[in-house]
PDB file of all heavy atoms in Angstrom:
ATOM      1  N   ALA A  99     100.971  95.194  58.798  1.00 73.00           N
ATOM      2  CA  ALA A  99     100.634  95.879  57.539  1.00 73.00           C
ATOM      3  C   ALA A  99     101.150  95.074  56.348  1.00 73.00           C
ATOM      4  O   ALA A  99     100.452  94.921  55.343  1.00 73.00           O
ATOM      5  CB  ALA A  99     101.220  97.283  57.534  1.00 73.00           C
ATOM      6  N   LEU A 100     102.352  94.530  56.500  1.00 75.00           N
ATOM      7  CA  LEU A 100     102.913  93.701  55.419  1.00 75.00           C
ATOM      8  C   LEU A 100     102.062  92.459  55.205  1.00 75.00           C
ATOM      9  O   LEU A 100     101.740  92.080  54.084  1.00 75.00           O
ATOM     10  CB  LEU A 100     104.344  93.282  55.779  1.00 75.00           C
ATOM     11  CG  LEU A 100     105.419  94.365  55.605  1.00 75.00           C
ATOM     12  CD1 LEU A 100     106.745  93.858  56.135  1.00 75.00           C
ATOM     13  CD2 LEU A 100     105.555  94.747  54.135  1.00 75.00           C
ATOM     14  N   TRP A 101     101.678  91.847  56.321  1.00 75.00           N
ATOM     15  CA  TRP A 101     100.841  90.647  56.257  1.00 75.00           C
ATOM     16  C   TRP A 101      99.500  90.970  55.603  1.00 75.00           C
ATOM     17  O   TRP A 101      99.013  90.242  54.744  1.00 75.00           O
ATOM     18  CB  TRP A 101     100.653  90.082  57.672  1.00 75.00           C
ATOM     19  CG  TRP A 101      99.814  88.835  57.701  1.00 75.00           C
ATOM     20  CD1 TRP A 101      99.982  87.715  56.942  1.00 75.00           C
ATOM     21  CD2 TRP A 101      98.669  88.594  58.519  1.00 75.00           C
ATOM     22  NE1 TRP A 101      99.020  86.787  57.249  1.00 75.00           N
ATOM     23  CE2 TRP A 101      98.202  87.300  58.216  1.00 75.00           C
ATOM     24  CE3 TRP A 101      98.004  89.340  59.493  1.00 75.00           C
ATOM     25  CZ2 TRP A 101      97.102  86.744  58.850  1.00 75.00           C
ATOM     26  CZ3 TRP A 101      96.904  88.766  60.119  1.00 75.00           C
ATOM     27  CH2 TRP A 101      96.464  87.491  59.802  1.00 75.00           C
ATOM     28  N   GLY A 102      98.919  92.125  56.026  1.00 69.00           N
ATOM     29  CA  GLY A 102      97.643  92.550  55.456  1.00 69.00           C
ATOM     30  C   GLY A 102      97.754  92.779  53.961  1.00 69.00           C
ATOM     31  O   GLY A 102      96.891  92.376  53.191  1.00 69.00           O
ATOM     32  N   ALA A 103      98.847  93.446  53.561  1.00 69.00           N
ATOM     33  CA  ALA A 103      99.035  93.736  52.137  1.00 69.00           C
ATOM     34  C   ALA A 103      99.190  92.449  51.347  1.00 69.00           C
ATOM     35  O   ALA A 103      98.659  92.309  50.249  1.00 69.00           O
ATOM     36  CB  ALA A 103     100.258  94.624  51.955  1.00 69.00           C
ATOM     37  N   MET A 104      99.900  91.479  51.958  1.00 70.00           N
ATOM     38  CA  MET A 104     100.144  90.221  51.232  1.00 70.00           C
ATOM     39  C   MET A 104      98.917  89.318  51.225  1.00 70.00           C
ATOM     40  O   MET A 104      98.747  88.506  50.342  1.00 70.00           O
ATOM     41  CB  MET A 104     101.332  89.490  51.847  1.00 70.00           C
ATOM     42  CG  MET A 104     102.649  90.161  51.476  1.00 70.00           C
ATOM     43  SD  MET A 104     104.073  89.209  51.965  1.00 70.00           S
ATOM     44  CE  MET A 104     103.958  89.198  53.704  1.00 70.00           C
ATOM     45  N   SER A 105      98.057  89.478  52.260  1.00 65.00           N
ATOM     46  CA  SER A 105      96.888  88.600  52.326  1.00 65.00           C
ATOM     47  C   SER A 105      95.739  89.110  51.462  1.00 65.00           C
ATOM     48  O   SER A 105      94.654  88.531  51.458  1.00 65.00           O
ATOM     49  CB  SER A 105      96.410  88.460  53.775  1.00 65.00           C
ATOM     50  OG  SER A 105      95.951  89.703  54.250  1.00 65.00           O
ATOM     51  N   GLY A 106      95.958  90.226  50.779  1.00 59.00           N
ATOM     52  CA  GLY A 106      94.958  90.707  49.825  1.00 59.00           C
ATOM     53  C   GLY A 106      93.784  91.417  50.461  1.00 59.00           C
ATOM     54  O   GLY A 106      92.706  91.453  49.892  1.00 59.00           O
ATOM     55  N   SER A 107      93.977  91.997  51.657  1.00 57.00           N
ATOM     56  CA  SER A 107      92.892  92.752  52.276  1.00 57.00           C
ATOM     57  C   SER A 107      92.587  93.988  51.443  1.00 57.00           C
ATOM     58  O   SER A 107      93.422  94.462  50.682  1.00 57.00           O
ATOM     59  CB  SER A 107      93.284  93.189  53.688  1.00 57.00           C
ATOM     60  OG  SER A 107      93.606  92.089  54.459  1.00 57.00           O
ATOM     61  N   ASN A 108      91.378  94.533  51.647  1.00 57.00           N
ATOM     62  CA  ASN A 108      90.996  95.712  50.890  1.00 57.00           C
ATOM     63  C   ASN A 108      91.842  96.904  51.300  1.00 57.00           C
ATOM     64  O   ASN A 108      92.128  97.072  52.475  1.00 57.00           O
ATOM     65  CB  ASN A 108      89.526  96.037  51.145  1.00 57.00           C
ATOM     66  CG  ASN A 108      88.638  95.004  50.526  1.00 57.00           C
ATOM     67  OD1 ASN A 108      88.958  94.451  49.483  1.00 57.00           O
ATOM     68  ND2 ASN A 108      87.538  94.714  51.187  1.00 57.00           N
ATOM     69  N   PRO A 109      92.242  97.732  50.348  1.00 56.00           N
ATOM     70  CA  PRO A 109      93.015  98.921  50.733  1.00 56.00           C
ATOM     71  C   PRO A 109      92.157  99.864  51.567  1.00 56.00           C
ATOM     72  O   PRO A 109      90.947  99.925  51.389  1.00 56.00           O
ATOM     73  CB  PRO A 109      93.379  99.553  49.383  1.00 56.00           C
ATOM     74  CG  PRO A 109      92.414  98.995  48.419  1.00 56.00           C
ATOM     75  CD  PRO A 109      91.991  97.664  48.921  1.00 56.00           C
ATOM     76  N   PRO A 110      92.769 100.574  52.479  1.00 53.00           N
ATOM     77  CA  PRO A 110      91.979 101.428  53.359  1.00 53.00           C
ATOM     78  C   PRO A 110      91.398 102.637  52.642  1.00 53.00           C
ATOM     79  O   PRO A 110      91.916 103.062  51.610  1.00 53.00           O
ATOM     80  CB  PRO A 110      93.002 101.868  54.407  1.00 53.00           C
ATOM     81  CG  PRO A 110      94.318 101.731  53.742  1.00 53.00           C
ATOM     82  CD  PRO A 110      94.191 100.621  52.762  1.00 53.00           C
ATOM     83  N   ASP A 111      90.337 103.163  53.219  1.00 55.00           N
ATOM     84  CA  ASP A 111      89.662 104.331  52.664  1.00 55.00           C
ATOM     85  C   ASP A 111      90.322 105.605  53.173  1.00 55.00           C
ATOM     86  O   ASP A 111      89.694 106.448  53.778  1.00 55.00           O
ATOM     87  CB  ASP A 111      88.200 104.318  53.137  1.00 55.00           C
ATOM     88  CG  ASP A 111      87.259 104.055  51.985  1.00 55.00           C
ATOM     89  OD1 ASP A 111      87.745 103.896  50.866  1.00 55.00           O
ATOM     90  OD2 ASP A 111      86.045 104.002  52.235  1.00 55.00           O
TER      91      ASP A 111
END
Side-chain angles (χ1 to χ4, degrees):
Chain A
L100 283 174
W101 181 51
M104 286 189 296
S105 65
S107 302
N108 291 327
D111 248 0

